[in-house]
Amino acid sequence: MQASVIFSTYNSEKWLEKVIIGFSVQTYKDFEIIIADDGSREATKNLIDRLRAEIEIPIIHVWQEDNGFQKSQILNKAILASNSDYLIFTDGDCIPRKDFVQTHIDYRQEGYFLSGGYFKLPMSISELISKDDIINQRCFDLKWLTANGLPKSYKNIKFVAQGFLSNFLNFITPTNASWNGHNSSGWKKDLMEVNGFNQEMQYGGQDRELGERLFNKGLKSKQIRYSAICVHLDHKRGYVNEETWKKNYSIRENTRKNKVIKTPIGIDSN
């Protein structure tokens, strides 16, 4: 097993099915899917059981009881459940293009983590995308997307950039090559050495804080936002609140100021 793809979910079966279908048609096959389930209902388990029997890629379902937004904790449990040395992280609302895993495999390098991005779709297209649209990759076809209401934007270049152009755009983008939870990857040993995600943190920057500790450890990052493509399905975010943001910002500030490498409440707390 060359890689483990890890992503979280919570009571979102419709989006989760689209994401799993996206990983079932990857050009690169030597990987496993690990679903980090932060307390979903029985319907999510039933969906995963059905899809496990329908696709070739092995699926591991890691579940914990619903105790509010505890994504960091369930991601750490998923890391422990992984069976490979290289971990690719995305989200349960991001459909990967068929070369997504291959791109992470091709760009991986000792001493680095990879930093990708996503392309956010409006709700109308998110709901429109069918299983057939994913299998035949229409949801990554710019003509199909614009025909179904995607506004014109310079950001749309992500769907057509390949080869030299995608590498050039990766090089010149002003966006920081940070750890982005929807599209990043790294070596399992590096994540273990920093003790994984900080479980004190709820929604808002917990992925970036992990990346900051990896930098403190001495790792560098590679930008692949124009090479590893995934589309983000729209949804509401009822778990966002100002108090959590302030708490998380304070933790991140401490991580940067004091060059923290290993979080005190992380993987070894599980």
Side-chain angles (χ1 to χ4, degrees), residues 97 103 107 114-117 157-158 161-177 183 221-229:
R97 196 169 66 185
T103 300
Y107 280 83
L114 303 182
S115 173
I157 196 171
K158 278 189 176 183
Q162 294 182 352
F164 172 80
L165 178 58
S166 61
N167 288 329
F168 177 69
L169 291 171
N170 288 333
F171 179 73
I172 67 168
T173 179
T175 305
N176 291 331
N183 189 350
S221 61
K222 281 186 185 181
Q223 183 69 266
I224 58 167
R225 65 187 298 106
Y226 288 94
S227 303
I229 305 301

Short mmCIF file of all heavy atoms in Angstrom, two decimals, residues 97 103 107 114-117 157-158 161-177 183 221-229:
data_model
loop_
_atom_site.label_atom_id
_atom_site.label_comp_id
_atom_site.label_asym_id
_atom_site.label_seq_id
_atom_site.Cartn_x
_atom_site.Cartn_y
_atom_site.Cartn_z
N ARG A 97 -10.07 14.94 -8.92
CA ARG A 97 -9.90 14.58 -10.32
C ARG A 97 -9.17 13.24 -10.39
O ARG A 97 -8.48 12.84 -9.44
CB ARG A 97 -9.11 15.67 -11.05
CG ARG A 97 -9.20 15.59 -12.58
CD ARG A 97 -8.61 16.83 -13.24
NE ARG A 97 -7.16 16.95 -13.02
CZ ARG A 97 -6.44 17.99 -13.41
NH1 ARG A 97 -7.02 19.00 -14.04
NH2 ARG A 97 -5.14 18.03 -13.16
N THR A 103 -0.82 12.46 -8.67
CA THR A 103 -0.07 13.71 -8.53
C THR A 103 0.64 13.78 -7.18
O THR A 103 1.82 14.14 -7.10
CB THR A 103 -1.00 14.93 -8.70
OG1 THR A 103 -1.61 14.88 -9.99
CG2 THR A 103 -0.24 16.24 -8.55
N TYR A 107 4.81 13.87 -6.74
CA TYR A 107 5.49 15.03 -6.17
C TYR A 107 6.06 14.79 -4.77
O TYR A 107 6.79 15.63 -4.25
CB TYR A 107 4.54 16.23 -6.11
CG TYR A 107 4.36 16.96 -7.41
CD1 TYR A 107 3.45 16.49 -8.36
CD2 TYR A 107 5.06 18.11 -7.71
CE1 TYR A 107 3.26 17.16 -9.57
CE2 TYR A 107 4.89 18.79 -8.90
CZ TYR A 107 3.98 18.30 -9.83
OH TYR A 107 3.78 18.97 -11.02
N LEU A 114 3.29 18.36 0.86
CA LEU A 114 2.70 18.95 -0.34
C LEU A 114 1.48 19.78 0.02
O LEU A 114 0.68 19.39 0.88
CB LEU A 114 2.30 17.87 -1.33
CG LEU A 114 3.42 16.92 -1.78
CD1 LEU A 114 2.88 15.93 -2.81
CD2 LEU A 114 4.61 17.68 -2.34
N SER A 115 1.33 20.92 -0.64
CA SER A 115 0.24 21.86 -0.37
C SER A 115 -0.58 22.10 -1.62
O SER A 115 -0.10 22.69 -2.60
CB SER A 115 0.82 23.19 0.13
OG SER A 115 -0.17 24.18 0.26
N GLY A 116 -1.83 21.63 -1.62
CA GLY A 116 -2.74 21.85 -2.74
C GLY A 116 -3.88 22.76 -2.37
O GLY A 116 -3.95 23.29 -1.26
N GLY A 117 -4.80 22.95 -3.28
CA GLY A 117 -5.96 23.79 -3.04
C GLY A 117 -7.23 23.09 -3.47
O GLY A 117 -7.25 21.87 -3.67
N ILE A 157 -8.70 28.69 -14.64
CA ILE A 157 -7.53 28.15 -15.33
C ILE A 157 -7.07 26.83 -14.71
O ILE A 157 -6.40 26.02 -15.35
CB ILE A 157 -6.37 29.18 -15.32
CG1 ILE A 157 -5.31 28.79 -16.36
CG2 ILE A 157 -5.76 29.32 -13.93
CD1 ILE A 157 -4.24 29.86 -16.57
N LYS A 158 -7.47 26.58 -13.46
CA LYS A 158 -7.11 25.32 -12.81
C LYS A 158 -7.56 24.09 -13.60
O LYS A 158 -6.93 23.05 -13.57
CB LYS A 158 -7.72 25.24 -11.41
CG LYS A 158 -6.95 25.97 -10.33
CD LYS A 158 -7.51 25.65 -8.96
CE LYS A 158 -6.68 26.29 -7.86
NZ LYS A 158 -7.17 25.93 -6.51
N ALA A 161 -5.02 23.97 -16.92
CA ALA A 161 -3.56 24.02 -16.76
C ALA A 161 -2.99 22.62 -16.63
O ALA A 161 -3.44 21.84 -15.78
CB ALA A 161 -3.19 24.87 -15.55
N GLN A 162 -2.00 22.31 -17.45
CA GLN A 162 -1.33 21.01 -17.40
C GLN A 162 0.15 21.20 -17.71
O GLN A 162 0.56 22.22 -18.24
CB GLN A 162 -1.95 20.03 -18.39
CG GLN A 162 -3.38 19.63 -18.08
CD GLN A 162 -3.93 18.62 -19.07
OE1 GLN A 162 -3.31 18.31 -20.07
NE2 GLN A 162 -5.11 18.09 -18.78
N GLY A 163 0.95 20.18 -17.35
CA GLY A 163 2.36 20.19 -17.72
C GLY A 163 3.10 21.43 -17.27
O GLY A 163 3.05 21.83 -16.11
N PHE A 164 3.79 22.06 -18.22
CA PHE A 164 4.62 23.24 -17.92
C PHE A 164 3.79 24.35 -17.31
O PHE A 164 4.22 25.01 -16.36
CB PHE A 164 5.31 23.74 -19.20
CG PHE A 164 6.02 25.06 -18.99
CD1 PHE A 164 7.27 25.10 -18.40
CD2 PHE A 164 5.41 26.25 -19.38
CE1 PHE A 164 7.92 26.33 -18.20
CE2 PHE A 164 6.04 27.47 -19.18
CZ PHE A 164 7.31 27.51 -18.58
N LEU A 165 2.57 24.57 -17.84
CA LEU A 165 1.74 25.68 -17.35
C LEU A 165 1.36 25.48 -15.88
O LEU A 165 1.45 26.41 -15.08
CB LEU A 165 0.48 25.83 -18.20
CG LEU A 165 -0.51 26.93 -17.75
CD1 LEU A 165 0.18 28.29 -17.72
CD2 LEU A 165 -1.72 26.97 -18.66
N SER A 166 0.95 24.27 -15.51
CA SER A 166 0.58 24.04 -14.11
C SER A 166 1.78 24.20 -13.19
O SER A 166 1.68 24.78 -12.10
CB SER A 166 -0.06 22.66 -13.94
OG SER A 166 0.84 21.63 -14.31
N ASN A 167 2.95 23.72 -13.62
CA ASN A 167 4.16 23.87 -12.82
C ASN A 167 4.56 25.34 -12.69
O ASN A 167 4.98 25.80 -11.62
CB ASN A 167 5.32 23.07 -13.42
CG ASN A 167 5.14 21.57 -13.25
OD1 ASN A 167 4.55 21.12 -12.27
ND2 ASN A 167 5.65 20.80 -14.19
N PHE A 168 4.40 26.09 -13.77
CA PHE A 168 4.72 27.52 -13.75
C PHE A 168 3.78 28.26 -12.80
O PHE A 168 4.21 29.10 -12.01
CB PHE A 168 4.61 28.10 -15.16
CG PHE A 168 4.84 29.58 -15.23
CD1 PHE A 168 6.10 30.11 -15.01
CD2 PHE A 168 3.79 30.45 -15.51
CE1 PHE A 168 6.32 31.49 -15.06
CE2 PHE A 168 3.99 31.82 -15.57
CZ PHE A 168 5.26 32.34 -15.34
N LEU A 169 2.48 27.93 -12.86
CA LEU A 169 1.51 28.58 -11.97
C LEU A 169 1.77 28.20 -10.51
O LEU A 169 1.61 29.03 -9.61
CB LEU A 169 0.09 28.19 -12.39
CG LEU A 169 -0.38 28.76 -13.73
CD1 LEU A 169 -1.71 28.13 -14.14
CD2 LEU A 169 -0.51 30.27 -13.67
N ASN A 170 2.16 26.95 -10.26
CA ASN A 170 2.54 26.55 -8.90
C ASN A 170 3.70 27.41 -8.40
O ASN A 170 3.75 27.78 -7.22
CB ASN A 170 2.97 25.08 -8.86
CG ASN A 170 1.83 24.12 -9.03
OD1 ASN A 170 0.68 24.42 -8.70
ND2 ASN A 170 2.12 22.93 -9.55
N PHE A 171 4.63 27.73 -9.30
CA PHE A 171 5.83 28.49 -8.94
C PHE A 171 5.53 29.95 -8.65
O PHE A 171 6.08 30.54 -7.71
CB PHE A 171 6.87 28.37 -10.06
CG PHE A 171 8.13 29.13 -9.81
CD1 PHE A 171 9.06 28.69 -8.87
CD2 PHE A 171 8.39 30.30 -10.51
CE1 PHE A 171 10.23 29.41 -8.63
CE2 PHE A 171 9.56 31.03 -10.27
CZ PHE A 171 10.48 30.58 -9.33
N ILE A 172 4.64 30.57 -9.44
CA ILE A 172 4.43 32.01 -9.31
C ILE A 172 3.28 32.40 -8.40
O ILE A 172 3.13 33.57 -8.05
CB ILE A 172 4.19 32.67 -10.70
CG1 ILE A 172 2.86 32.19 -11.31
CG2 ILE A 172 5.36 32.41 -11.62
CD1 ILE A 172 2.43 33.00 -12.53
N THR A 173 2.44 31.43 -7.97
CA THR A 173 1.29 31.79 -7.15
C THR A 173 1.74 32.47 -5.85
O THR A 173 2.69 32.02 -5.21
CB THR A 173 0.41 30.56 -6.82
OG1 THR A 173 -0.68 30.98 -5.99
CG2 THR A 173 1.20 29.49 -6.08
N PRO A 174 1.06 33.55 -5.45
CA PRO A 174 1.41 34.22 -4.19
C PRO A 174 0.86 33.49 -2.96
O PRO A 174 1.20 33.85 -1.83
CB PRO A 174 0.74 35.59 -4.34
CG PRO A 174 -0.44 35.35 -5.24
CD PRO A 174 0.02 34.29 -6.21
N THR A 175 0.03 32.48 -3.17
CA THR A 175 -0.56 31.74 -2.06
C THR A 175 0.51 30.92 -1.33
O THR A 175 1.32 30.23 -1.96
CB THR A 175 -1.65 30.78 -2.56
OG1 THR A 175 -2.61 31.53 -3.31
CG2 THR A 175 -2.34 30.09 -1.40
N ASN A 176 0.54 31.02 -0.01
CA ASN A 176 1.51 30.27 0.78
C ASN A 176 1.30 28.77 0.63
O ASN A 176 0.16 28.30 0.57
CB ASN A 176 1.40 30.64 2.26
CG ASN A 176 1.86 32.05 2.55
OD1 ASN A 176 2.72 32.58 1.85
ND2 ASN A 176 1.29 32.67 3.57
N ALA A 177 2.40 28.04 0.60
CA ALA A 177 2.32 26.57 0.53
C ALA A 177 2.16 26.02 1.94
O ALA A 177 3.06 25.41 2.52
CB ALA A 177 3.56 26.00 -0.14
N ASN A 183 -6.44 19.40 0.89
CA ASN A 183 -5.56 18.93 -0.19
C ASN A 183 -4.10 19.09 0.23
O ASN A 183 -3.44 20.05 -0.17
CB ASN A 183 -5.85 19.71 -1.47
CG ASN A 183 -5.15 19.15 -2.70
OD1 ASN A 183 -4.29 18.29 -2.59
ND2 ASN A 183 -5.51 19.66 -3.87
N SER A 221 7.90 22.87 2.16
CA SER A 221 6.65 22.51 1.48
C SER A 221 6.76 22.76 -0.02
O SER A 221 7.52 23.62 -0.46
CB SER A 221 5.48 23.31 2.05
OG SER A 221 5.69 24.70 1.88
N LYS A 222 5.99 21.99 -0.77
CA LYS A 222 5.88 22.15 -2.22
C LYS A 222 4.47 22.57 -2.58
O LYS A 222 3.49 22.02 -2.06
CB LYS A 222 6.18 20.83 -2.93
CG LYS A 222 7.62 20.45 -3.07
CD LYS A 222 7.69 19.19 -3.93
CE LYS A 222 9.08 18.66 -4.05
NZ LYS A 222 9.10 17.45 -4.92
N GLN A 223 4.36 23.51 -3.49
CA GLN A 223 3.06 23.99 -3.96
C GLN A 223 2.57 23.13 -5.12
O GLN A 223 3.26 22.99 -6.14
CB GLN A 223 3.21 25.45 -4.41
CG GLN A 223 1.94 26.12 -4.86
CD GLN A 223 0.97 26.35 -3.72
OE1 GLN A 223 0.09 25.52 -3.49
NE2 GLN A 223 1.12 27.46 -3.02
N ILE A 224 1.36 22.55 -5.00
CA ILE A 224 0.81 21.74 -6.10
C ILE A 224 -0.65 22.13 -6.38
O ILE A 224 -1.42 21.33 -6.89
CB ILE A 224 0.90 20.23 -5.79
CG1 ILE A 224 0.17 19.88 -4.48
CG2 ILE A 224 2.35 19.75 -5.75
CD1 ILE A 224 -0.05 18.38 -4.29
N ARG A 225 -1.02 23.38 -6.08
CA ARG A 225 -2.42 23.78 -6.18
C ARG A 225 -2.94 23.79 -7.61
O ARG A 225 -4.15 23.72 -7.83
CB ARG A 225 -2.65 25.13 -5.50
CG ARG A 225 -1.96 26.30 -6.10
CD ARG A 225 -2.13 27.56 -5.24
NE ARG A 225 -3.51 27.97 -5.08
CZ ARG A 225 -4.22 27.82 -3.97
NH1 ARG A 225 -3.68 27.24 -2.92
NH2 ARG A 225 -5.45 28.25 -3.90
N TYR A 226 -2.06 23.86 -8.61
CA TYR A 226 -2.50 23.82 -10.00
C TYR A 226 -2.27 22.44 -10.64
O TYR A 226 -2.47 22.28 -11.84
CB TYR A 226 -1.80 24.90 -10.81
CG TYR A 226 -2.29 26.29 -10.48
CD1 TYR A 226 -1.62 27.06 -9.52
CD2 TYR A 226 -3.43 26.81 -11.07
CE1 TYR A 226 -2.08 28.32 -9.18
CE2 TYR A 226 -3.90 28.08 -10.74
CZ TYR A 226 -3.22 28.82 -9.80
OH TYR A 226 -3.69 30.08 -9.47
N SER A 227 -1.84 21.47 -9.82
CA SER A 227 -1.56 20.12 -10.32
C SER A 227 -2.50 19.08 -9.73
O SER A 227 -3.00 18.22 -10.45
CB SER A 227 -0.11 19.74 -10.02
OG SER A 227 0.80 20.66 -10.57
N ALA A 228 -2.73 19.15 -8.41
CA ALA A 228 -3.65 18.22 -7.73
C ALA A 228 -5.00 18.90 -7.60
O ALA A 228 -5.19 19.76 -6.74
CB ALA A 228 -3.10 17.83 -6.37
N ILE A 229 -5.94 18.53 -8.45
CA ILE A 229 -7.20 19.26 -8.56
C ILE A 229 -8.35 18.51 -7.88
O ILE A 229 -8.54 17.30 -8.08
CB ILE A 229 -7.58 19.51 -10.04
CG1 ILE A 229 -6.43 20.21 -10.77
CG2 ILE A 229 -8.87 20.31 -10.15
CD1 ILE A 229 -6.03 21.56 -10.19
#
